[in-house]
Amino acid sequence: MAEQDIEAEGFGPSETRVLDLVLPGATNHYGTLFAGNGLSLLGKAAFLTATRYARQTMVLRSSRETEFIAPVRAGELIELIGRVTRRGNTSVEVEVEMVAENQTGGERRTCCTGTFTIVAVDAAGKAARLTGKTTNE
């Protein structure tokens, strides 16, 4: 990926934050967030971050370096923080951090992190150049 200036003119915000609540249906038999659901949430946050940033049709190309650091219990809030860390000609790299928060005490801890490559595509599904044209133009 040929690296470009992330904060270049014409691109949207490079950070997105999403809040959610872990309900019992998303947990495993230990009462903690099922890893597959956690990975899905990370991927969704990466997609939202890339799409807001590029304002183009984007698809997930790869995920890597996913690390489950601490459990997330049913009833806890989670904040997914997606950040564009690199921009190439047709793709962006997004790092996502999942932070769990106790609803009543407010204690927060990083529970999961992951890195994703998201690619811009044209109407035929082929890789497309990132244009940097937001909807405000």
Side-chain angles (χ1 to χ4, degrees):
M1 175 186 307
E3 208 165 320
Q4 308 289 329
D5 178 18
I6 292 170
E7 301 301 328
E9 188 175 334
F11 287 91
S14 60
E15 181 177 289
T16 298
R17 292 173 179 257
V18 179
L19 291 174
D20 207 342
L21 173 66
V22 177
L23 297 173
T27 63
N28 57 28
H29 58 290
Y30 298 114
T32 59
L33 182 65
F34 175 65
N37 290 334
L39 187 56
S40 175
L41 289 166
L42 290 174
K44 183 176 181 179
F47 168 79
L48 291 171
T49 302
T51 301
R52 261 184 100 210
Y53 177 76
R55 299 293 183 190
Q56 291 177 245
T57 302
M58 306 292 283
V59 297
L60 176 66
R61 178 173 182 263
S62 66
S63 66
R64 64 182 188 286
E65 299 176 28
T66 303
E67 184 176 4
F68 295 93
I69 301 162
V72 182
R73 293 169 190 81
E76 288 188 310
L77 301 174
I78 52 171
E79 181 176 23
L80 296 142
I81 306 160
R83 295 179 185 95
V84 175
T85 56
R86 292 178 57 193
R87 178 171 59 89
N89 293 323
T90 61
S91 65
V92 294
E93 182 175 274
V94 178
E95 291 181 1
V96 182
E97 175 185 17
M98 180 187 295
V99 178
E101 181 176 326
N102 179 287
Q103 285 190 50
T104 56
E107 301 87 11
R108 293 170 55 90
R109 67 191 179 286
T110 297
C111 293
C112 187
T113 59
T115 303
F116 300 82
T117 300
I118 316 285
V119 179
V121 294
D122 61 19
K126 303 287 184 192
R129 187 169 191 76
L130 291 168
T131 61
K133 295 180 181 175
T134 63
T135 56
N136 295 332
E137 293 183 14

